[in-house]
Amino acid sequence: MGKIIAIANQKGGVGKTTTAINLSASLAMAKKKTLLIDADPQANASSGLGIDPKNVTSSIYECLVDDYPVTGSRLPTCVEGLDIVASRIDLVGAELELINKPNRENVMRRSLDAVRDEYEYIIIDCSPSLGLITVNALTAADSVIIPVQAEYFALEGISKLLNTIRIIKGKLNPSLQIEGFLLTMYDARLRLANQIYEELKSHFGTMVFNTVIPRNIRLSEAPSHGLPAILYDPNSRGATSHVQLAKELIARRAKAKKQ
């Protein structure tokens, strides 16, 4: 059965979509069949993998609002072994349309149940909000990766997200776990970046990934070419750090299975 991982932080600009694209691609390159769910109306995960949202006829919107099957909505990507359920701007309206649906927080979970056995990992790229779509993602997920930017206000808002996770765990998804905190946009030359890493480690210990994602121009350029960094420039620090993150994630899962 595939493991469902949401990538969430209500703070924008922390590298959620970059992580979603490149972690998914790295898992697929490691021969782990992966499905990426673009649950953000900005559809950056879709365009970052070369898919034009304007040409998508069935997106995550149809899956959530019209109960259209995920099997008919997924698309192959430029990475072998990686499929995507794309997004479009009309996902903005899904929050309102879901309000009157029975059991509205579980719509995504029901959608993904149909394909869960076909993938080893299902990654959900959440929008920078704690609205109903993100609640759906966290209710569907086994765990959540929280990207944290290596900058001054990095820890701002984490308590709010942790509180939301606590509520969802208590009321909707008792098995939800924090997979880990991931430090992004890291520059080892800056004292502040190192301080934030140490602060995260002191607060959350082993819940912080050993892998950090550096600031890297190739990582920033790749989406404009519709490619993950691992295809755009496999030797760049941005690509190799996500490969390392995928290895760490796979190792954690293997260890958890043995326990």
Side-chain angles (χ1 to χ4, degrees):
M1 184 182 283
K3 182 167 189 176
I4 302 176
I5 303 173
I7 299 179
N9 190 330
Q10 80 277 13
K11 195 174 185 297
V14 298
K16 279 189 300 297
T17 300
T18 299
T19 301
I21 291 171
N22 291 289
L23 174 58
S24 298
S26 298
L27 287 167
M29 296 285 269
K31 307 296 182 195
K32 305 293 180 186
K33 197 168 183 216
T34 303
L35 176 65
L36 175 59
I37 307 292
D38 189 350
D40 185 345
Q42 295 176 85
N44 290 335
S46 305
S47 59
L49 283 168
I51 289 157
D52 186 347
K54 292 178 195 146
N55 298 332
V56 173
T57 53
S58 177
S59 67
I60 190 64
Y61 173 89
E62 281 76 17
C63 297
L64 297 176
V65 174
D66 301 327
D67 297 319
Y68 194 79
V70 169
T71 48
S73 302
R74 59 191 173 183
L75 300 166
T77 69
C78 49
V79 181
E80 189 179 344
L82 174 60
D83 294 336
I84 186 171
V85 176
S87 181
R88 289 195 311 260
I89 190 64
D90 54 5
L91 187 61
V92 169
E95 302 255 342
L96 290 172
E97 296 184 62
L98 284 174
I99 284 172
N100 295 320
K101 268 206 166 198
N103 210 8
R104 63 193 181 192
E105 295 89 355
N106 281 288
V107 178
M108 191 179 292
R109 177 191 273 170
R110 291 197 301 269
S111 291
L112 295 181
D113 276 349
V115 295
R116 190 164 183 167
D117 289 340
E118 296 181 41
Y119 296 94
E120 288 192 63
Y121 290 92
I122 298 175
I123 306 292
I124 308 172
D125 181 29
C126 297
S127 66
S129 76
L130 295 177
L132 190 52
I133 304 292
T134 299
V135 168
N136 258 269
L138 293 173
T139 303
D142 298 305
S143 63
V144 55
I145 290 175
I146 303 171
V148 180
Q149 190 177 358
E151 292 195 354
Y152 183 68
F153 292 114
L155 303 179
E156 188 183 80
I158 284 185
S159 59
K160 196 173 179 183
L161 177 60
L162 292 178
N163 192 49
T164 301
I165 290 169
R166 207 172 296 119
I167 291 166
I168 288 170
K169 196 174 165 74
K171 296 187 175 179
L172 296 166
N173 183 5
S175 60
L176 181 64
Q177 301 292 326
I178 294 174
E179 187 71 44
F181 293 85
L182 175 68
L183 197 65
T184 61
M185 305 180 197
Y186 177 75
D187 187 339
R189 298 168 300 176
L190 300 179
R191 184 185 297 172
L192 178 63
N194 292 298
Q195 284 174 347
I196 288 165
Y197 184 66
E198 290 307 318
E199 200 167 333
L200 269 179
K201 276 283 192 186
S202 68
H203 273 84
F204 302 110
T206 56
M207 291 166 73
V208 181
F209 283 103
N210 293 322
T211 305
V212 297
I213 308 300
R215 281 196 179 278
N216 179 246
I217 191 67
R218 308 301 270 172
L219 202 53
S220 304
E221 289 172 351
S224 65
H225 296 268
L227 294 169
I230 199 168
L231 292 185
Y232 179 64
D233 186 350
N235 297 316
S236 66
R237 286 168 62 239
T240 55
S241 62
H242 282 96
V243 169
Q244 189 57 43
L245 176 63
K247 285 179 181 173
E248 191 173 348
L249 194 64
I250 292 164
R252 281 187 180 199
R253 190 178 182 194
K255 186 178 177 183
K257 280 181 178 176
K258 284 179 184 173
Q259 289 173 347

